[in-house]
Amino acid sequence: MRKEKIDDIDDITSQLTLDEKISLIHASSSFTSGGVPRLGVPELVFSDGPHGVRHEQGRGWFPIDNADDHSTYLPVGICLASTWNKNLANKYGNILGSEAKNRGKHVLLGPGINIIRSPLNGRNFEYFSEDPFLTGKLATEYVKGLQGQGVAACPKHYAVNNQETDRHNIDVRVSLRAIHEIYLPAFRVVVQEGKAWSIMGAYNKVNGQYATHHEYLNNRILKGDWKFDGVVISDWASVKDTKEALLYGTDIEMGTELVRDFNRPVYDEFYLANPAKRYIESGTVDECYVDDKVRRILRLMQRTTALSDHGTGKRNVQEHQEAALEVAREGVVLLKNDGLLPFNKREIKTLAVIGHNASRVFAEGGGSSQVRPPYEITPLEGLKKIVSDFCDVIYAVGYEPYYDKTLFRKLPGEAASQSREYSSKTELARSSNKELLQEAIEIAQKADAVIFVGGWIHGHEGMPWGEGTYDAEARDKMNLKLIFDQEELINKITDVNKNTAVVLMGGSNVEMDNWLPQTRAYLHAWYPGMEGGTAIAETLFGETNPSGKLPVTFANSHEEYPSHCIGQFPGNKTVEYSEDIFVGYRYFDTFKKEVVFPFGYGLSYTTFEFSNLKITQTDNLVLVECSITNTGDRKGAEVVQIYIHHKNPTVKRPTHELKGFQKIHLEPGEPSKVQINLDKSSFKYFHPKQEKWVLEAGTYEIQVGNSSRDIKLVDEIEW
Ligand code: GLC
């Protein structure tokens, strides 16, 4: 930052009245915070969301119809994470920044980087992984790409926000070690390496204090140890106390629970509005706390298009849509294939496509991360585009979604009458689904091959946003059961047609034991964005060789996850993270628990050979080198994953932890050398009593593999 820039900030701050300073630190509309026209200080303009610039709401709280707000709908966060591709993550952020700038936004409210602790969290689709290292490295590239366009990233939700149930008040009880080893590292990396210009505070409490104004998280760690010089923006209505927000690091309050009538919002009633002014005028809180917030806000404005020229950006252009396709191609994960795939379109006369999700669009679902794209290619459209010159495509919806109150948690005060009304609708829907099932079986019987597309859905028909949503913000799932009777449908289809491939969409896995054994091929597609249907079709017919790898562990039932069998989920007023540091593969691998598909796993249509591991150790660095060869007959990509295993720790530690990865694209027969640097911090653990990272002497294995349970090469070093 140029010296005079800092002087400007000090100069402007010294000219501001207290009223003007206060106007800067809280919302002036639904998605803007105050400016000072007298001094040419503009309002800051915010927009969701993490995988596309959200539809326009202007200064109000509801979508503006027929606004010029179409934007590129990128694959959701967990699909981006499944690419394990840092370059793609940077391109993804760059596109978001260009489109946000084109829509006149200064801050994009993403990426969502909370750790996926339980598969039931309704927002897992927005997030990246169960692993903080993978999350941090990919999110850092996303932040760099986004901010390179002059739009501030706002990694969220800081911190330890891993459920939607009672999100505004739940008090997370978590150890200091788990905070530092699991829930903070991704935020540290996006701040220290990504140089994020803002961070969003979370709704929940952490060990008794609200995260958005948390003295330890904000003042001691974020702005202290990490030297964050950006702006802490609250989540919408996550500020609950004026004095704490003034003292403990909240810089801008957005949204509030205080305003009763959104059609008559009184922004002066916000915690950081008149109540804050009274604290300062009474001398209870020193004005220097407000001055620090103001300086941070002005610095953010100077860094962004608010006060600097970064050009106009582009929106809905072909290069953005092609990038959406590229991310989807590398983000879908082929989990099972006995050789059925890839299909050969020249050998199929009739292709049956079955499933509600084959023809459903998802962009506007999910909650605040919704996007209004110019188009969205469904799997059915993608398949028709690829094969219709060669074979007849017949479609049956197979099932229709219905409201089933057993499938998700009641919201407080949910009307009993509502569920009575919906239960009659449910019975109607389920009976009609029996007819739809028969129709699906009939077309499966007469087809040469079948593609079933099912899984989760975002919203729920007939229910307002936030009420009846299965796989979305504001609500967690009850379990991983495959909804809308899809298990029966899949089994009946595979009974009558052995050439059946299953494609599931959604932000998490589903229970698989009852249908996977008799399924020959399974592709998990997450919510793959506006070109997702194209990517799915290309993958099934071999025009794209899949290279996605799971960023989360797929176990069969939610009860097998440590957040459920050791810790609590979702708790009641408080939630105990008793599993501590053993989240995801750190639990399943350490305690040798069965999983269906492990962290880092994903199939390809080609094969790769790992060889020639060479470790070079210096005082502060470990260089890991190995060779990777594409030993198959088609080009493809592999992800080299580096895990660290401490052979003789004196403290409890996961059996191994991901500390390096690199994706490599290779032609058939092509060899390549991979080099990955591990610094000393890769081997440390957080000592809760000393409150610092410690490197314990001993022997460490360097494990090189292509999933947490498929280690190809091992060597050892001593510290
Ligand atoms: C929501 C979400 C947050 C979003 C914000 C603005 O409640 O928690 O992720 O950016 O409000 O819509």
Side-chain angles (χ1 to χ4, degrees):
M1 172 69 82
R2 290 201 311 274
K3 183 78 182 76
E4 60 277 38
K5 286 272 187 189
I6 297 290
D7 292 348
D8 284 352
I9 289 173
D10 290 342
D11 177 41
I12 292 176
T13 306
S14 65
Q15 294 179 49
L16 291 169
T17 65
L18 178 58
D19 280 338
E20 290 169 334
K21 293 175 186 175
I22 293 291
S23 71
L24 289 171
I25 65 173
H26 64 82
S28 54
S29 83
S30 55
F31 283 91
T32 61
S33 57
V36 182
R38 179 176 71 85
L39 294 175
V41 177
E43 289 183 312
L44 263 180
V45 184
F46 304 89
S47 173
D48 290 309
H51 49 260
V53 186
R54 190 180 186 183
H55 56 233
E56 196 50 60
Q57 294 187 191
R59 301 182 74 82
W61 291 90
F62 302 98
I64 297 175
D65 293 334
N66 54 56
D68 172 21
D69 59 2
H70 290 305
S71 297
T72 297
Y73 167 42
L74 293 162
V76 296
I78 198 166
C79 188
L80 171 63
S82 301
T83 70
W84 291 60
N85 188 324
K86 294 169 196 166
N87 297 333
L88 271 185
N90 189 290
K91 185 184 280 190
Y92 187 105
N94 187 285
I95 287 166
L96 284 172
S98 181
E99 300 219 345
K101 181 165 55 180
N102 186 265
R103 287 272 302 279
K105 313 301 180 183
H106 304 137
V107 182
L108 185 86
L109 302 171
I113 59 172
N114 290 111
I115 291 299
I116 296 176
R117 170 182 180 252
S118 161
L120 301 187
N121 180 356
R123 290 187 87 167
N124 285 343
F125 71 94
E126 274 187 81
Y127 299 151
F128 282 55
S129 174
E130 68 191 31
D131 179 83
F133 183 85
L134 177 64
T135 303
K137 290 300 180 187
L138 292 176
T140 289
E141 290 305 319
Y142 174 129
V143 167
K144 286 178 179 175
L146 174 54
Q147 296 187 158
Q149 290 281 348
V151 174
C154 187
K156 65 189 185 181
H157 307 84
Y158 184 74
V160 207
N161 173 218
N162 311 99
Q163 67 186 60
E164 291 299 288
T165 306
D166 193 21
R167 63 179 179 164
H168 290 272
N169 294 299
I170 193 76
D171 183 5
V172 176
R173 315 302 295 184
V174 56
S175 75
L176 200 56
R177 193 168 167 206
I179 286 175
H180 282 279
E181 292 193 18
I182 305 297
Y183 300 103
L184 290 190
F187 286 99
R188 183 183 52 74
V189 173
V190 295
V191 165
Q192 293 188 327
E193 295 181 21
K195 307 295 181 203
W197 294 338
S198 73
I199 288 277
M200 183 186 292
Y203 285 124
N204 52 284
K205 289 180 184 174
V206 179
N207 294 331
Q209 191 168 51
Y210 282 106
T212 296
H213 31 80
H214 199 284
E215 183 175 17
Y216 180 78
L217 293 177
N218 284 352
N219 289 3
R220 167 73 194 283
I221 300 299
L222 179 64
K223 297 182 175 180
D225 295 357
W226 300 350
K227 298 182 177 42
F228 174 66
D229 68 355
V231 176
V232 173
I233 297 158
S234 78
D235 198 340
W236 269 238
S238 68
V239 169
K240 299 291 196 312
D241 181 282
T242 294
K243 188 174 180 185
E244 287 205 358
L246 283 170
L247 295 176
Y248 303 147
T250 315
D251 298 310
I252 298 180
E253 177 191 8
M254 296 303 295
T256 180
E257 61 180 5
L258 297 177
V259 171
R260 292 289 163 240
D261 173 2
F262 276 125
N263 294 313
R264 196 187 56 76
V266 184
Y267 294 99
D268 289 344
E269 289 173 22
F270 275 46
Y271 287 95
L272 285 184
N274 288 341
K277 184 180 168 189
R278 288 193 289 275
Y279 270 100
I280 304 300
E281 286 176 331
S282 65
T284 312
V285 174
D286 192 285
E287 190 165 346
C288 72
Y289 284 93
V290 174
D291 290 348
D292 177 63
K293 302 177 197 299
V294 167
R295 285 195 188 91
R296 290 171 180 273
I297 293 164
L298 294 174
R299 185 177 300 127
L300 174 70
M301 290 181 174
Q302 284 189 338
R303 285 168 165 167
T304 65
T305 48
L307 282 179
S308 305
D309 178 16
H310 292 269
T312 57
K314 293 182 281 189
R315 185 155 48 100
N316 301 321
V317 294
Q318 188 178 349
E319 69 177 288
H320 292 181
Q321 292 152 5
E322 286 171 351
L325 175 55
E326 200 181 353
V327 174
R329 280 171 175 154
E330 294 207 21
V332 297
V333 187
L334 183 60
L335 290 171
K336 184 175 181 183
N337 181 31
D338 71 356
L340 174 67
L341 297 178
F343 284 130
N344 181 338
K345 57 189 174 185
R346 291 171 179 76
E347 293 172 358
I348 296 172
K349 285 273 167 290
T350 304
L351 173 70
V353 179
I354 297 170
H356 171 83
N357 281 357
S359 60
R360 183 187 180 102
V361 290
F362 288 97
E364 301 216 29
S368 63
S369 60
Q370 58 206 167
V371 187
R372 193 175 280 168
Y375 66 85
E376 181 177 347
I377 303 289
T378 65
L380 180 60
E381 289 164 341
L383 288 163
K384 283 180 175 174
K385 198 165 58 172
I386 282 199
V387 305
S388 52
D389 290 349
F390 296 85
C391 51
D392 292 335
V393 178
I394 49 180
Y395 175 61
V397 72
Y399 66 93
E400 287 295 353
Y402 51 81
Y403 172 73
D404 181 345
K405 63 179 180 299
T406 62
L407 286 172
F408 52 80
R409 301 175 195 289
K410 271 172 73 65
L411 286 176
E414 200 162 332
S417 60
Q418 201 172 356
S419 54
R420 254 201 313 281
E421 177 210 338
Y422 278 102
S423 58
S424 59
K425 277 188 182 176
T426 299
E427 288 323 308
L428 198 62
R430 295 189 80 156
S431 63
S432 77
N433 274 356
K434 293 215 180 308
E435 290 155 34
L436 295 175
L437 182 141
Q438 283 311 320
E439 178 195 42
I441 293 167
E442 282 158 23
I443 73 162
Q445 279 171 322
K446 58 188 175 188
D448 302 305
V450 182
I451 294 167
F452 172 81
V453 186
W456 295 106
I457 59 169
H458 268 326
H460 174 61
E461 280 59 21
M463 297 282 277
W465 177 73
E467 289 301 307
T469 50
Y470 293 95
D471 199 13
E473 179 178 345
R475 191 184 286 270
D476 295 325
K477 300 164 186 161
M478 285 293 276
N479 52 54
L480 295 180
K481 295 199 178 311
L482 194 43
I483 50 181
F484 315 134
D485 313 314
Q486 292 176 61
E487 272 186 7
E488 179 189 11
L489 178 53
I490 291 173
N491 289 332
K492 292 227 157 91
I493 291 167
T494 50
D495 281 347
V496 300
N497 196 316
K498 290 300 169 226
N499 296 331
T500 297
V502 170
V503 180
L504 297 185
M505 301 170 90
S508 71
N509 44 318
V510 297
E511 291 185 3
M512 291 164 273
D513 282 357
N514 295 336
W515 58 270
L516 188 63
Q518 57 266 34
T519 293
R520 296 179 59 194
Y522 164 32
L523 179 73
H524 197 81
W526 313 113
Y527 295 115
M530 65 196 293
E531 283 285 354
T534 307
I536 289 168
E538 288 179 351
T539 302
L540 295 173
F541 281 86
E543 295 187 15
T544 289
N545 185 2
S547 60
K549 304 283 182 182
L550 288 180
V552 289
T553 302
F554 272 16
N556 185 60
S557 157
H558 71 278
E559 285 136 349
E560 298 168 31
Y561 288 80
S563 46
H564 295 263
C565 62
I566 300 177
Q568 291 178 332
F569 185 96
N572 179 2
K573 295 192 182 6
T574 64
V575 57
E576 295 291 342
Y577 281 25
S578 319
E579 75 280 7
D580 198 54
I581 58 175
F582 296 100
V583 174
Y585 71 87
R586 286 175 167 81
Y587 164 75
F588 291 106
D589 294 357
T590 303
F591 300 101
K592 297 182 175 39
K593 298 294 183 181
E594 187 185 343
V595 299
V596 183
F597 299 111
F599 174 82
Y601 178 84
L603 296 176
S604 170
Y605 293 142
T606 186
T607 51
F608 297 92
E609 183 185 80
F610 288 61
S611 59
N612 306 329
L613 176 59
K614 180 172 173 250
I615 306 291
T616 310
Q617 182 179 8
T618 65
D619 287 352
N620 292 306
L621 210 58
V622 174
L623 172 62
V624 181
E625 296 174 286
C626 67
S627 301
I628 304 292
T629 304
N630 178 345
T631 49
D633 59 3
R634 62 166 66 213
K635 68 180 180 180
E638 179 59 293
V639 178
V640 178
Q641 302 164 34
I642 309 280
Y643 295 87
I644 304 299
H645 164 62
H646 188 178
K647 295 190 77 171
N648 43 3
T650 60
V651 295
K652 63 178 180 177
R653 294 193 71 168
T655 184
H656 59 186
E657 298 174 89
L658 180 77
K659 294 295 180 183
F661 65 91
Q662 187 173 324
K663 186 162 204 177
I664 186 136
H665 293 76
L666 295 171
E667 293 298 322
E670 182 186 358
S672 179
K673 179 174 278 192
V674 170
Q675 291 184 336
I676 294 175
N677 281 338
L678 304 176
D679 63 23
K680 251 180 174 176
S681 66
S682 305
F683 300 84
K684 294 183 179 179
Y685 74 93
F686 187 81
H687 194 299
K689 288 201 173 25
Q690 296 175 24
E691 289 199 35
K692 66 178 187 177
W693 289 87
V694 169
L695 175 59
E696 188 174 37
T699 308
Y700 292 80
E701 271 187 0
I702 311 288
Q703 303 173 345
V704 181
N706 67 353
S707 93
S708 76
R709 293 205 173 176
D710 192 352
I711 302 303
K712 309 282 188 183
L713 308 167
V714 179
D715 200 346
E716 294 184 353
I717 62 165
E718 299 290 329
W719 283 115

